[in-house]
Amino acid sequence: MKKLLLSTIVLALFIACSTSRQMEKAVGIGNYDQAITDAIGKLRVNKDKRGKEDIIILLEEAYNKATERDLSNIDYLKKDQNPENFIRIYDAYVNLDNRQERIKPLLPLYVNGKAVNLNFNNYNSQIISYKNSASEQIYSNATALLKSNNKLDYRLAYNDLREIENINPNYKDVRQLMELAHQKGTDFVLVDMVNDSGKIIPARLENDLLNFSSYGLNNFWAVYHGTPEDKINYDYNMRVNLRGINISPEQIKERQIIKEKQIADGKTNLLDEAGNTVKDSLGNNIEVDRMKTVRCEYYEFTQFKATQVTGNVEYVNLNTKQLVDAFPVTSEFVFQHIYATSRGDRRALETSLIPFLERRAVPFPNEEQMIYDTGEDLKLQLKNIINSYTLN
């Protein structure tokens, strides 16, 4: 028990020393907030325990240096008198306030019985002042971008307006302007299917591929339509060209397995070398399993049929009539059904083979069904292309 207690104490001291060294290193390289985070984590529990004073001293040093650095940076930005710095000054004041709020739950903190003074300040007025100044400056930039005829400028304006919404919710008409910027910055894409395969594409497959509401797309700046809508000027045409459809012939592959196994088939008396029955200490006959060899002929049939659809996806800029990009697509679907029959004692077979004996042959899917069944994989490929491809 004493050894366990000693080991626990030694381990606790080692961890404390290790934490202190990490904090000292963080402070030494100017990573003050990391040192503060480490200290807060260690002081949440048993802050008055012996050995925690070194951490409190390091917390005080890291906090004072971080505050001095941030206030010096704010002073420099103010002297620069550049309105673009308003948001940076606002962020710096928010950071100063957040740092204090993280430490406050730990107070009071003591070193050698004396309370540590961390010199907290009230930054509310500065935060409010520069929040409004930053909002006005960003708003001015955003509204200037909205006067452009460039979709990329509309997207930059949207990002600026979203920043205002984050720091100053419901400022002026920001929410309405965000909707306008999103509408103007969005690319509209009309999707067509072109069948050059020489085979008939099932209508339901085409409908599924062009039903973009089921794709779960996450492209914020692009909207895809399978059928054109009135009053929309489309920016791009996405052409899904199906070049080839290959369908294999129906195949049935057969294999035969012959299995033999020894199994227990009842009980029999244990005999010694002289042929006499062996008895236990109470005079009872000792019985052992009677082993029997069983045999089974297993006939397995595999029905197989495969489809491959190949093609490419092309993006065409409708304003310039130029091909922007192209991606190959290949989709496959395999129909496979296994069933089996047997002759003999099934107990000779492995357990994994038994389920196939319960099956029977099924009709092969027709050509239309095989082509349709490639749709899920083809749809997934189209979704990946749409989500990963950036227009403009």
Side-chain angles (χ1 to χ4, degrees):
M1 185 63 183
K2 291 182 179 179
K3 289 184 178 180
L4 178 60
L5 180 60
L6 180 61
S7 298
T8 303
I9 294 173
V10 171
L11 179 61
L13 290 173
F14 175 79
I15 293 174
C17 291
S18 176
T19 301
S20 297
R21 283 196 296 269
Q22 290 176 1
M23 290 178 59
E24 287 175 354
K25 183 177 179 181
V27 172
I29 62 176
N31 195 354
Y32 306 127
D33 283 308
Q34 182 59 55
I36 292 169
T37 298
D38 292 341
I40 290 173
K42 291 299 178 183
L43 295 174
R44 281 199 182 102
V45 180
N46 297 328
K47 64 178 182 178
D48 298 320
K49 186 178 178 181
R50 289 187 61 186
K52 294 290 182 77
E53 290 188 348
D54 289 343
I55 295 177
I56 294 173
I57 293 171
L58 285 169
L59 172 62
E60 180 183 20
E61 180 183 1
Y63 171 78
N64 289 334
K65 288 184 175 181
T67 301
E68 180 183 1
R69 177 197 60 194
D70 290 350
L71 290 174
S72 176
N73 185 46
I74 289 172
D75 186 55
Y76 170 80
L77 293 173
K78 288 179 179 179
K79 289 179 180 178
D80 190 40
Q81 296 184 343
N82 184 347
E84 296 294 334
N85 289 332
F86 289 159
I87 186 65
R88 296 174 61 187
I89 296 172
Y90 165 78
D91 288 338
Y93 276 124
V94 169
N95 188 51
L96 283 164
D97 187 66
N98 287 342
R99 186 183 296 128
Q100 293 180 168
E101 293 303 315
R102 293 173 60 208
I103 297 174
K104 282 180 180 179
L106 300 176
L107 301 180
L109 294 171
Y110 296 95
V111 174
N112 296 325
K114 184 179 179 181
V116 174
N117 184 9
L118 293 175
N119 298 317
F120 288 165
N121 297 297
N122 188 330
Y123 299 107
N124 290 341
S125 60
Q126 293 94 327
I127 289 173
I128 293 172
S129 174
Y130 279 96
K131 176 178 68 174
N132 292 328
S133 297
S135 298
E136 183 59 38
Q137 177 61 29
I138 299 171
Y139 182 88
S140 177
N141 293 341
T143 51
L145 288 169
L146 286 175
K147 296 175 182 178
S148 166
N149 290 321
N150 189 311
K151 287 182 180 287
L152 294 181
D153 286 338
Y154 299 143
R155 297 177 188 181
L156 291 174
Y158 179 89
N159 292 335
D160 284 345
L161 293 166
R162 183 174 58 182
E163 186 169 13
I164 297 174
E165 180 66 16
N166 288 336
I167 68 171
N168 205 353
N170 208 23
Y171 180 81
K172 293 187 176 180
D173 57 346
V174 162
R175 293 178 182 176
Q176 292 85 347
L177 292 180
M178 286 178 68
E179 292 181 7
L180 178 63
H182 183 228
Q183 180 183 357
K184 287 188 171 184
T186 296
D187 285 315
F188 289 90
V189 185
L190 182 62
V191 184
D192 295 322
M193 282 195 65
V194 180
N195 181 15
D196 292 330
S197 68
K199 294 185 180 292
I200 298 176
I201 301 295
R204 56 180 178 149
L205 173 58
E206 184 171 353
N207 292 336
D208 280 358
L209 292 177
L210 298 180
N211 180 18
F212 292 99
S213 63
S214 64
Y215 274 59
L217 301 178
N218 58 10
N219 195 323
F220 185 71
W221 292 110
V223 174
Y224 288 75
H225 290 162
T227 54
E229 296 185 10
D230 295 336
K231 299 181 181 180
I232 291 182
N233 294 320
Y234 289 93
D235 303 282
Y236 293 90
N237 181 207
M238 176 182 171
R239 297 173 183 169
V240 182
N241 300 310
L242 302 184
R243 304 291 190 186
I245 298 178
N246 303 308
I247 302 177
S248 72
E250 298 175 357
Q251 303 174 50
I252 299 180
K253 299 177 181 180
E254 179 182 348
R255 70 166 181 160
Q256 178 184 358
I257 302 174
I258 299 176
K259 290 287 187 179
E260 289 188 352
K261 183 190 295 184
Q262 280 199 329
I263 63 172
D265 186 32
K267 296 289 186 179
T268 186
N269 291 330
L270 178 64
L271 303 179
D272 60 18
E273 293 180 356
N276 300 316
T277 300
V278 178
K279 299 181 182 294
D280 59 21
S281 58
L282 299 177
N284 300 317
N285 294 343
I286 297 177
E287 293 184 334
V288 294
D289 291 333
R290 180 189 297 111
M291 302 306 294
K292 175 184 178 181
T293 301
V294 293
R295 183 177 186 274
C296 184
E297 297 178 8
Y298 174 84
Y299 302 93
E300 184 180 271
F301 305 90
T302 301
Q303 295 177 261
F304 179 87
K305 189 176 182 180
T307 305
Q308 182 189 60
V309 176
T310 60
N312 65 303
V313 174
E314 299 174 348
Y315 279 95
V316 176
N317 187 316
L318 293 176
N319 296 314
T320 64
K321 308 301 180 184
Q322 297 294 314
L323 177 66
V324 178
D325 220 331
F327 305 88
V329 290
T330 301
S331 178
E332 296 181 347
F333 176 77
V334 174
F335 166 80
Q336 181 173 282
H337 176 74
I338 301 174
Y339 66 98
T341 61
S342 65
R343 184 168 61 191
D345 196 325
R346 292 188 178 185
R347 292 178 294 176
L349 301 176
E350 286 92 346
T351 305
S352 61
L353 300 177
I354 301 300
F356 298 117
L357 296 172
E358 309 302 325
R359 300 179 182 177
R360 296 293 179 265
V362 298
F364 281 94
N366 58 32
E367 186 172 284
E368 179 181 341
Q369 183 64 43
M370 290 293 293
I371 296 172
Y372 177 77
D373 287 336
T374 64
E376 282 303 312
D377 180 54
L378 191 58
K379 191 173 181 179
L380 179 61
Q381 292 187 54
L382 292 180
K383 178 180 177 179
N384 289 337
I385 290 173
I386 292 171
N387 280 336
S388 61
Y389 186 64
T390 302
L391 297 166
N392 288 321

